[in-house]
Amino acid sequence: GALKDASSMQDLKLTPLALHHCYLIIVRLERIADQAKGIVADLPAANFSGHAKEEFQKLLQLLFGRYNDTMKSFYTGDREAALDIEVSGDGIIERLINFLDGFTRKCIADGRSKGNKSDITHPCMAATRIIDGMKVMAKYTGYIARVVMSES
């Protein structure tokens, strides 16, 4: 499309590099959307409750707040904000890993106390897929921030 057609680029008033950056962001947004779709599909099976539900909601709010900040930095061209987002990414990944570790330990302990191992697998697997999806979303949000930082 427009990446190969010079007249389209002129109509959009974009340089080839700026158009490429837009393309990279669109590809990453599609990946984030795919992960969000998978998370929604697995949520009922994970059956988060009590403290786990509260912590999951906090992590989700943190992740979507980071996503919103990234998109705001893209629209405003704020490279400083994009750098802050990129630097903070590892902390979110670590929190997600710790959440999953605690949830699976509780899930296994609950299953042992009930004596039914089949009840353990389904929520733990769903939670693993959810957290893996959230980690991918965090990484791709960081990748968008990198595109913002690379714009001149």
Side-chain angles (χ1 to χ4, degrees):
L3 284 173
K4 295 179 183 174
D5 183 9
S7 64
S8 294
M9 281 192 291
Q10 287 175 342
D11 291 343
L12 295 171
K13 296 184 172 104
L14 294 171
T15 65
L17 183 59
L19 191 58
H20 180 68
H21 285 164
C22 290
Y23 170 77
L24 291 175
I25 288 172
I26 289 168
V27 168
R28 287 167 172 102
L29 288 173
E30 287 176 346
R31 183 67 189 256
I32 290 169
D34 290 343
Q35 297 304 313
K37 183 179 174 184
I39 289 168
V40 169
D42 284 326
L43 267 176
N47 198 23
F48 295 127
S49 61
H51 177 69
K53 183 177 181 178
E54 291 173 17
E55 184 63 22
F56 176 75
Q57 288 173 336
K58 287 178 188 175
L59 289 168
L60 202 54
Q61 288 173 346
L62 180 65
L63 187 62
F64 283 110
R66 186 170 181 259
Y67 167 81
N68 287 332
D69 291 344
T70 302
M71 295 313 297
K72 191 184 307 179
S73 73
F74 169 68
Y75 290 121
T76 62
D78 188 347
R79 295 171 77 185
E80 287 279 325
L83 178 61
D84 289 342
I85 291 159
E86 174 59 18
V87 170
S88 69
D90 289 339
I92 292 171
I93 300 292
E94 186 176 335
R95 284 185 64 182
L96 290 166
I97 291 168
N98 290 338
F99 170 79
L100 181 60
D101 183 53
F103 181 78
T104 53
R105 287 176 191 272
K106 183 181 180 323
C107 192
I108 291 168
D110 288 351
R112 285 185 181 152
S113 68
K114 293 177 185 173
N116 187 352
K117 292 183 181 179
S118 65
D119 287 345
I120 300 171
T121 308
H122 195 55
C124 287
M125 290 303 294
T128 300
R129 286 192 302 265
I130 288 168
I131 297 304
D132 283 347
M134 291 173 73
K135 290 190 297 188
V136 170
M137 290 173 77
K139 284 292 187 188
Y140 274 76
T141 301
Y143 296 158
I144 292 171
R146 287 181 189 173
V147 172
V148 173
M149 290 185 305
S150 70
E151 291 181 345
S152 52

